[in-house]
Amino acid sequence: MKIYNGRGALVRAIKITPRVVPGVVLVADGGWTDYDEELEVDFGGNPGVLTSSDPCGCDIQPWNTINVEMEKWDGPFDHDIDRPLRVIELGD
């Protein structure tokens, strides 16, 4: 599915479950950004592409509640298990 708003878009496989309230989308944090500039979507599933960096007040965190829309994605997509492993080597 393509999950998007006015700030950005990401593409993820989805699972419908009774554990999430209807009308709510739960996107796990921690995805590696893999932004495709031609298609203007993040294939890494990073929800940060949907948030704003603008400060929004004391004790209010903009990444906890984000209004988004969803639509079926018919474009290219690789499931996480099929994506190459990313390894970062730290220098001395």
Side-chain angles (χ1 to χ4, degrees):
M1 294 294 285
K2 178 180 178 183
I3 304 167
Y4 63 97
N5 62 17
R7 296 181 182 101
L10 57 92
V11 175
R12 299 299 292 157
I14 67 163
K15 177 181 179 180
I16 308 281
T17 174
R19 296 179 183 193
V20 177
V21 177
V24 173
V25 178
L26 174 65
V27 178
D29 192 15
W32 286 88
T33 301
D34 184 12
Y35 193 77
D36 185 311
E37 292 190 22
E38 183 180 325
L39 297 173
E40 298 182 333
V41 297
D42 173 38
F43 287 105
N46 185 350
V49 302
L50 304 171
T51 65
S52 171
S53 60
D54 296 337
C56 56
C58 182
D59 294 329
I60 300 172
Q61 300 166 340
W63 55 85
N64 287 337
T65 303
I66 305 165
N67 293 322
V68 296
E69 296 184 52
M70 288 178 48
E71 64 185 39
K72 183 178 178 187
W73 176 256
D74 290 321
F77 178 74
D78 291 326
H79 288 274
D80 291 341
I81 193 75
D82 298 325
R83 297 171 66 82
L85 179 64
R86 289 189 178 194
V87 177
I88 296 177
E89 296 183 23
L90 301 176
D92 294 333

